[in-house]
Amino acid sequence: MHQNWAGNLTYSAREIVRPTSLEQLADVVTAADHVRALGSRHSFNDVADTPGVHVQVDVLDDGRPAVDLLDQDGAENGIVSVNAGLRYGEVSRGLHATGRALGNMASLPHISVAGAVATATHGSGDANQSLSGAVVGLEIMSPGGELRRITRAEHPDVFAGTVVSLGALGVVTRVELTTVPTFSVRQDVAQELPWDDYLDNFDAIMSAAYSVSAFTRWDDPAVRDIWFKSKAGSDGGRVPEVPGARWATTPVHPLPGVDPSACTEQLGVAGPWHERLSHFRLEFTPSAGDEVQSEYLLPRRNVVAAVEAMRRLGPKVAPLLATSEIRTVAGDDLWLSPFDEPSVGFHFTWLPREADVRAVLPDVEAALLPLGARPHWGKVSTVDPRDMAALYPRFGDFRALADRFDPEGRLRGGFVGRLLAG
């Protein structure tokens, strides 16, 4: 029996297999009655669960470099093909060495590429799409052992349905991502900005840097911390212009009172993109995993009403919260992406009291779902999977695609089984 990273979920799979070749992978997926890919186990629900065999592709060798830059002519948007099981921190280090960069990173560099892409996981930034938005191609092994390459250019009819796929189409072995020339970033943290100033100037504040994250526990009298990650040229860049901001003079952690040594460098010290865009350093485990996470993604146009609703819930949710984060994400066209327009994410890092958390989540959802919120695919919510399906206009098309790729339903289990059974 094995568990997810947080330890709040024990998987149902009877074994884990880590094939080292495509041939071994084909043998596993064709022989198993039920099979699903497993990434870095950073999901907090059973979206990756199966009653059969879990497959990890982090040591799979298909004869190509694990980080393979396909376009090395210096083009603005070169393409890199990566082993789907690699963690973003590993990909970013290899890519940076070639002079290229990813346009976005999540808070944790410890998550696997395929797992993050399949669940529409994201970073932050007004102009930055989720990690899934960088995908231009996928190689997927079907339950029948057939390896398919699907690209945006060659398969425009189905590509948008294959990226955020929740693992329901097969085992992804490689992911092709757009890249940009490498760049430097500085990180500055503003503290104790009054809520009125934050909401009155929301657009200006969230666009004041390349990536911006605001932290609160919702009962705070002011926005506790706002992390600004700004592109920095040869001059090292400048502190963003944020009226009323008081800038931190010592490093901080997203969780109040926690040692910030695991965090990426702050205080305006410029460094490579892959050492700043994530909140945490790859070489550190940001916590022991003793937490539960939820997240709700909603249209940016409703942010003021959503913040006001959450502040009214502050006295109820704050005793269960380690911290909560507000981020912006650009829109995309992927069928199961919650970002079909400019969006805001409300992320909740809860104390490891899941029963108590589940008791308060209906209040959070009653406040946010009428404003267009959708739960993150890989985090804890109390929304019925059938109701989640109804939140996506192209879900019927996705169901048909899943039936086509997996007619026997061998890739279905856990949350995905319930989602597609409705």
Side-chain angles (χ1 to χ4, degrees):
M1 304 293 284
H2 53 290
Q3 294 183 310
N4 65 342
W5 170 75
N8 72 310
L9 174 71
T10 298
Y11 292 111
S12 304
R14 62 178 178 266
E15 64 176 317
I16 301 177
V17 179
R18 298 173 75 200
T20 58
S21 69
L22 291 172
E23 292 75 19
Q24 288 183 8
L25 175 61
D27 289 342
V28 172
V29 300
T30 55
D33 53 351
H34 286 88
V35 62
R36 281 184 65 77
L38 184 67
S40 53
R41 309 187 197 188
H42 276 79
S43 290
F44 291 78
N45 63 15
D46 59 346
V47 69
D49 205 9
T50 177
V53 177
H54 263 149
V55 176
Q56 291 185 279
V57 297
D58 54 329
V59 296
L60 189 147
D61 182 358
D62 62 4
R64 291 172 284 178
V67 180
D68 188 11
L69 191 59
L70 303 181
D71 181 358
Q72 303 186 57
D73 63 2
E76 182 64 24
N77 292 300
I79 306 300
V80 64
S81 173
V82 306
N83 178 315
L86 290 181
R87 299 179 297 170
Y88 268 93
E90 296 161 340
V91 170
S92 66
R93 287 180 174 178
L95 191 58
H96 178 67
T98 71
R100 307 296 297 180
L102 298 174
N104 199 3
M105 293 277 282
S107 298
L108 294 176
H110 309 75
I111 58 177
S112 68
V113 174
V117 164
T119 54
T121 298
H122 61 94
S124 181
D126 278 10
N128 298 331
Q129 294 180 328
S130 75
L131 303 180
S132 312
V135 177
V136 294
L138 296 164
E139 293 184 20
I140 306 175
M141 184 165 288
S142 73
E146 176 189 0
L147 188 65
R148 308 179 183 181
R149 179 172 177 262
I150 301 174
T151 70
R152 179 176 285 278
E154 296 173 356
H155 306 89
D157 55 332
V158 299
F159 175 81
T162 63
V163 181
V164 183
S165 69
L166 311 179
L169 305 182
V171 177
V172 177
T173 61
R174 292 194 79 89
V175 182
E176 296 173 18
L177 304 165
T178 58
T179 69
V180 297
T182 192
F183 57 97
S184 294
V185 174
R186 60 174 290 157
Q187 189 165 210
D188 301 274
V189 179
Q191 298 186 296
E192 303 301 329
L193 186 69
W195 278 106
D196 286 346
D197 289 347
Y198 178 67
L199 289 180
D200 290 346
N201 301 285
F202 182 82
D203 288 340
I205 290 169
M206 301 306 281
S207 65
Y210 186 77
S211 173
V212 181
S213 296
F215 292 93
T216 180
R217 287 204 309 176
W218 297 110
D219 66 341
D220 297 324
V223 183
R224 185 180 69 248
D225 294 320
I226 308 178
W227 292 30
F228 294 87
K229 302 171 189 281
S230 310
K231 278 192 172 182
S234 58
D235 62 352
R238 299 187 299 275
V239 176
E241 294 184 8
V242 181
R246 175 175 64 82
W247 297 98
T249 57
T250 57
V252 298
H253 192 283
L255 278 61
V258 175
D259 182 354
S261 58
C263 297
T264 50
E265 192 162 1
Q266 303 164 24
L267 306 181
V269 178
W273 61 279
H274 67 293
E275 296 178 359
R276 297 293 186 277
L277 287 182
S278 294
H279 295 336
F280 298 99
R281 303 181 187 188
L282 180 62
E283 59 268 26
F284 286 84
T285 300
S287 77
D290 50 350
E291 62 192 49
V292 176
Q293 291 185 12
S294 301
E295 188 172 24
Y296 300 89
L297 303 315
L298 61 145
R300 181 183 178 127
R301 52 189 161 82
N302 293 333
V303 66
V304 172
V307 167
E308 291 174 345
M310 284 308 308
R311 290 193 66 202
R312 289 192 292 271
L313 287 173
K316 180 172 286 191
V317 301
L320 295 172
L321 270 176
T323 194
S324 190
E325 183 177 0
I326 304 171
R327 294 177 281 187
T328 59
V329 187
D332 60 51
D333 65 347
L334 306 176
W335 294 355
L336 294 194
S337 166
F339 312 112
D340 50 5
E341 62 177 281
S343 302
V344 175
F346 286 4
H347 184 280
F348 301 84
T349 301
W350 304 100
L351 301 176
R353 296 163 53 185
E354 186 164 348
D356 294 331
V357 169
R358 287 186 175 276
V360 79
L361 282 179
D363 293 319
V364 174
E365 291 160 358
L368 298 183
L369 265 63
L371 298 173
R374 296 161 170 167
H376 187 290
W377 290 112
K379 301 187 189 296
V380 174
S381 82
T382 62
V383 180
D384 188 285
R386 291 168 295 183
D387 294 331
M388 286 184 65
L391 301 177
Y392 292 86
R394 298 296 300 270
F395 187 81
D397 295 322
F398 177 77
R399 185 197 302 277
L401 191 65
D403 289 342
R404 193 170 109 201
F405 273 64
D406 179 28
E408 297 178 345
R410 293 196 290 122
L411 294 165
R412 300 181 188 185
F415 176 89
V416 171
R418 299 191 299 276
L419 180 73
L420 293 173

